[in-house]
Amino acid sequence: EWAGYVLVLGFGVFFSIVTTIMVKLEQIYGGLVISSEHFNTAGRNIKTGLTAAVIVSQWTWAATLLQSSNVASQYGLSGPFWYAAGATVQILLFGILAIEIKKKAPNMHTFLEMIDVRWGKLAHLTFLFFAICTNLIVTGMLLQGGAAVVNAASGMHIIAANFLIPVGVILYTWFGGLKATFLASYIHTSVIMICLVVFITYVYAVPG
């Protein structure tokens, strides 16, 4: 059980320290100034590679891993392929939408601002309600999924895992804002890719 606490708190502290150091180095050597605007928008200068890494990191959640493994066991390699192919449609459409929004409203912070300007206060409040509900549902799902994985792997109490998993995220977001979450997502993606290479090699190359 102690291994679960070490894993959760250790990773949280590790990501907090690394992302905070990276942000501080950018402040010292890159002339970065942390303002409220930069805290919320990461300076509006995130490049393509970092954006792609963030998308991979934020879409690789418990439901994705479990369901893709489930369809792989049922349908073979075609299962996870078509499962992932269905998600590419949203990414392609959002990419086009994001480019147009960047052209027409370069200083916008959230899509809700666009709805407020285009369709008025009633539509804005309606979408605000659904956005908050979506965030609560997805956050709850991620916490429950992560806590269930830690509980199954180490025996850590599931309620404790639910409360301790967000601690690291809160810490590095507090110090570095949106830019820190992007940097942490880049590290997450690197870890995910390394694990995938190891697992794929083990599955296909190791006999038995």
Side-chain angles (χ1 to χ4, degrees):
E1 185 176 337
W2 61 268
Y5 289 93
V6 172
L7 183 68
V8 170
L9 295 176
F11 268 101
V13 172
F14 169 76
F15 283 119
S16 299
I17 293 173
V18 170
T19 52
T20 302
I21 289 174
M22 293 173 75
V23 171
K24 292 298 181 184
L25 287 175
E26 193 169 356
Q27 285 181 277
I28 296 171
Y29 298 106
L32 175 66
V33 178
I34 299 290
S35 61
S36 60
E37 179 72 12
H38 189 280
F39 187 90
N40 290 315
T41 64
R44 302 183 188 276
N45 61 351
I46 302 299
K47 305 303 180 185
T48 305
L50 189 55
T51 303
V54 170
I55 291 173
V56 172
S57 175
Q58 294 181 353
W59 275 44
T60 310
W61 51 13
T64 298
L65 293 173
L66 296 174
Q67 181 61 14
S68 60
S69 303
N70 182 36
V71 292
S73 66
Q74 291 183 355
Y75 306 110
L77 289 176
S78 64
F81 173 81
W82 288 112
Y83 178 82
T88 59
V89 178
Q90 299 97 297
I91 296 177
L92 291 172
L93 291 176
F94 183 77
I96 297 170
L97 179 64
I99 292 170
E100 290 301 314
I101 291 175
K102 187 77 173 178
K103 290 178 181 177
K104 294 179 171 59
N107 295 319
M108 190 180 75
H109 298 85
T110 68
F111 76 96
L112 296 168
E113 293 175 337
M114 176 180 65
I115 292 173
D116 187 21
V117 172
R118 176 64 179 83
W119 287 288
K121 186 60 65 178
L122 181 60
H124 175 253
L125 292 175
T126 302
F127 273 85
L128 178 62
F129 170 77
F130 285 114
I132 293 173
C133 290
T134 301
N135 283 334
L136 291 174
I137 292 170
V138 171
T139 301
M141 184 190 72
L142 292 176
L143 285 176
Q144 288 294 325
V149 170
V150 174
N151 173 260
S154 66
M156 180 182 180
H157 197 285
I158 197 164
I159 296 177
N162 270 295
F163 279 96
L164 291 176
I165 286 173
V167 170
V169 179
I170 293 171
L171 285 176
Y172 66 68
T173 305
W174 179 279
F175 288 109
L178 186 63
K179 185 66 173 284
T181 66
F182 276 34
L183 295 173
S185 294
Y186 188 88
I187 300 172
H188 294 162
T189 306
S190 302
V191 173
I192 290 168
M193 292 301 175
I194 292 170
C195 292
L196 285 175
V197 169
V198 172
F199 290 151
I200 290 172
T201 303
Y202 186 82
V203 169
Y204 287 99
V206 178

